[in-house]
Amino acid sequence: MAREDRLRRPAEHEDLIGALSGKEGPFNAMVDVLMFAALLGQNHKKREPFDKAGEPIRLSVMEGRQYGDVLIDMVAVAELPDDPKILSDDRQPERVRIFEEYANGGLNYIRGEVNASGGQDYVSIISNMVMDTLTAPDEHQSDVSDLLQATSLDW
């Protein structure tokens, strides 16, 4: 299977990607928007396929970003934790597709927040999303607390 050299952008979100990475936007470049959106989509379990793509971005642009070279792999491993072969060279196109679909899901989530905000600027909307994620209770900690309570252990 041939290696992918481009990252597709969902055509329906071209305007949003441009606004988020424009002069007034919170991101420096479109690839940064896609990186954030993919992690947001993965965090909210919103993996959404798309057919119509806008102008693609060279993968080398993403790989040039700090941690960009491993982000696609990390999203794929989180999606398929019981499949270590997802990291093999011949499955790179599948990893890229998983990343693209999570980015689309994240962009749909951002679009919903923009629509619900009633005119807030993009910087505020993204800042609020980041703060909500940072201040949200850790689900794993909650699971541990529940287990401790169920077994009457007090630490």
Side-chain angles (χ1 to χ4, degrees):
M1 189 176 259
R3 288 186 58 86
E4 293 289 325
D5 68 343
R6 306 249 180 222
L7 186 64
R8 296 177 311 141
R9 300 186 323 220
E12 72 175 294
H13 295 300
E14 284 290 310
D15 61 331
L16 179 61
I17 294 168
L20 290 170
S21 62
K23 268 186 1 182
E24 304 296 318
F27 298 99
N28 292 326
M30 291 181 181
V31 70
D32 297 327
V33 174
L34 292 177
M35 291 169 65
F36 178 82
L39 293 178
L40 185 67
Q42 197 278 329
N43 189 47
H44 288 279
K45 300 181 182 0
K46 294 178 68 64
R47 181 177 171 190
E48 300 174 5
F50 63 96
D51 293 321
K52 190 172 180 188
E55 186 68 29
I57 296 173
R58 286 178 288 117
L59 277 178
S60 62
V61 173
M62 184 170 166
E63 291 166 352
R65 295 283 195 262
Q66 187 173 12
Y67 306 112
D69 57 339
V70 296
L71 189 59
I72 290 174
D73 294 345
M74 290 172 38
V75 170
V77 167
E79 177 71 4
L80 302 168
D82 296 326
D83 184 4
K85 291 185 179 184
I86 189 63
L87 294 175
S88 66
D89 285 341
D90 64 327
R91 292 188 59 195
Q92 186 258 2
E94 183 180 356
R95 292 192 304 273
V96 169
R97 183 179 42 79
I98 291 168
F99 179 87
E100 292 169 343
E101 291 174 356
Y102 272 121
N104 187 44
L107 289 165
N108 280 325
Y109 184 86
I110 293 169
R111 172 94 57 205
E113 292 295 308
V114 167
N115 292 342
S117 74
Q120 263 187 335
D121 65 283
Y122 292 121
V123 173
S124 296
I125 292 167
I126 298 298
S127 295
N128 288 339
M129 281 187 218
V130 171
M131 289 307 297
D132 288 346
T133 300
L134 292 174
T135 58
D138 184 1
E139 290 177 16
H140 300 293
Q141 180 63 36
S142 177
D143 292 343
V144 171
S145 298
D146 291 345
L147 181 61
L148 290 174
Q149 283 183 333
T151 58
S152 300
L153 295 175
D154 185 24
W155 295 28

Coordinates of all heavy atoms in Angstrom, one line a residue, residues 73-74 76-92 94-95 98:
D73 N 0.0 8.8 14.7 CA 0.2 7.5 15.3 C -0.6 7.3 16.6 O -1.2 6.3 16.9 CB 1.6 7.2 15.5 CG 2.4 7.1 14.2 OD1 1.7 6.9 13.1 OD2 3.6 7.1 14.2
M74 N -0.5 8.4 17.5 CA -1.1 8.3 18.8 C -2.6 8.2 18.7 O -3.3 7.4 19.4 CB -0.7 9.5 19.6 CG 0.7 9.5 20.1 SD 1.3 11.1 20.8 CE -0.1 11.6 21.8
A76 N -4.3 6.9 16.2 CA -4.6 5.6 15.7 C -4.5 4.5 16.7 O -5.4 3.6 16.9 CB -3.7 5.3 14.5
V77 N -3.5 4.6 17.6 CA -3.3 3.7 18.6 C -4.4 3.8 19.7 O -4.9 2.8 20.2 CB -1.9 3.8 19.3 CG1 -1.8 3.1 20.6 CG2 -0.8 3.4 18.3
A78 N -4.8 5.0 20.0 CA -5.9 5.2 20.9 C -7.2 4.6 20.3 O -8.1 4.1 21.1 CB -6.1 6.7 21.2
E79 N -7.4 4.7 19.0 CA -8.6 4.1 18.4 C -8.5 2.6 18.3 O -9.5 1.9 18.5 CB -8.7 4.6 16.9 CG -9.8 4.1 16.1 CD -11.2 4.6 16.6 OE1 -11.3 5.4 17.5 OE2 -12.2 4.1 16.0
L80 N -7.4 2.0 18.1 CA -7.2 0.6 18.0 C -6.1 0.0 19.0 O -5.1 -0.5 18.5 CB -6.8 0.2 16.5 CG -7.8 0.7 15.5 CD1 -7.1 0.6 14.1 CD2 -9.1 -0.1 15.5
P81 N -6.4 0.1 20.3 CA -5.3 -0.2 21.2 C -4.9 -1.7 21.2 O -3.8 -2.0 21.7 CB -6.0 0.2 22.6 CG -7.4 0.1 22.3 CD -7.6 0.5 20.9
D82 N -5.8 -2.6 20.7 CA -5.5 -4.0 20.7 C -4.9 -4.4 19.4 O -4.8 -5.6 19.1 CB -6.7 -4.8 21.0 CG -7.2 -4.5 22.4 OD1 -6.4 -4.3 23.3 OD2 -8.5 -4.5 22.6
D83 N -4.5 -3.5 18.6 CA -3.9 -3.8 17.2 C -2.6 -3.1 17.0 O -2.5 -2.1 16.4 CB -4.9 -3.3 16.2 CG -4.5 -3.7 14.8 OD1 -3.5 -4.4 14.6 OD2 -5.2 -3.2 13.8
P84 N -1.5 -3.7 17.6 CA -0.2 -3.1 17.5 C 0.3 -2.9 16.0 O 1.1 -2.1 15.7 CB 0.7 -4.0 18.3 CG 0.0 -5.3 18.3 CD -1.5 -5.0 18.3
K85 N -0.2 -3.7 15.1 CA 0.2 -3.6 13.7 C -0.3 -2.4 13.0 O 0.0 -2.1 11.9 CB -0.3 -4.9 13.0 CG 0.5 -6.1 13.4 CD 0.2 -7.3 12.6 CE 1.0 -8.5 13.1 NZ 0.8 -9.7 12.3
I86 N -1.2 -1.6 13.7 CA -1.6 -0.3 13.2 C -0.5 0.6 12.9 O -0.5 1.5 12.1 CB -2.7 0.4 14.1 CG1 -3.3 1.6 13.4 CG2 -2.1 0.8 15.4 CD1 -4.1 1.3 12.1
L87 N 0.6 0.4 13.6 CA 1.8 1.2 13.4 C 2.8 0.7 12.3 O 3.8 1.4 12.1 CB 2.6 1.3 14.8 CG 1.9 2.0 15.9 CD1 2.6 1.9 17.2 CD2 1.6 3.5 15.5
S88 N 2.4 -0.3 11.6 CA 3.3 -0.8 10.6 C 3.2 0.2 9.4 O 2.2 0.9 9.2 CB 2.9 -2.2 10.1 OG 1.6 -2.2 9.5
D89 N 4.3 0.2 8.6 CA 4.4 1.1 7.5 C 3.3 1.0 6.5 O 2.8 1.9 6.0 CB 5.7 0.9 6.8 CG 6.9 1.5 7.5 OD1 6.6 2.4 8.4 OD2 8.0 1.2 7.3
D90 N 2.8 -0.3 6.3 CA 1.8 -0.5 5.2 C 0.4 0.0 5.7 O -0.5 0.1 4.9 CB 1.8 -1.9 4.8 CG 1.4 -2.9 5.9 OD1 1.7 -2.6 7.0 OD2 0.8 -3.9 5.5
R91 N 0.3 0.3 7.0 CA -1.0 0.8 7.4 C -1.1 2.3 7.7 O -2.0 2.8 8.3 CB -1.4 0.0 8.7 CG -1.7 -1.4 8.3 CD -2.3 -2.3 9.3 NE -3.6 -1.8 9.8 CZ -4.1 -2.3 11.0 NH1 -3.4 -3.2 11.7 NH2 -5.2 -1.9 11.4
Q92 N 0.0 3.0 7.2 CA 0.0 4.4 7.4 C -1.2 5.2 6.8 O -1.7 6.1 7.4 CB 1.3 5.0 6.8 CG 1.6 6.4 7.1 CD 1.3 7.3 5.8 OE1 0.9 6.8 4.8 NE2 1.5 8.6 5.9
E94 N -4.2 4.1 6.7 CA -5.3 3.9 7.6 C -5.2 4.9 8.8 O -6.2 5.4 9.3 CB -5.3 2.5 8.1 CG -6.5 2.1 9.0 CD -6.5 0.7 9.4 OE1 -5.6 -0.1 8.9 OE2 -7.3 0.3 10.2
R95 N -4.0 5.0 9.3 CA -3.7 6.0 10.4 C -4.1 7.4 10.0 O -4.7 8.1 10.8 CB -2.3 5.9 10.9 CG -1.9 4.6 11.5 CD -0.6 4.6 12.2 NE 0.6 5.1 11.4 CZ 1.3 4.3 10.6 NH1 1.0 3.0 10.6 NH2 2.3 4.7 10.0
I98 N -7.9 7.7 10.0 CA -8.5 7.8 11.3 C -8.3 9.2 11.8 O -9.2 9.8 12.4 CB -7.8 6.8 12.2 CG1 -8.2 5.4 11.9 CG2 -8.1 7.1 13.7 CD1 -7.4 4.3 12.5

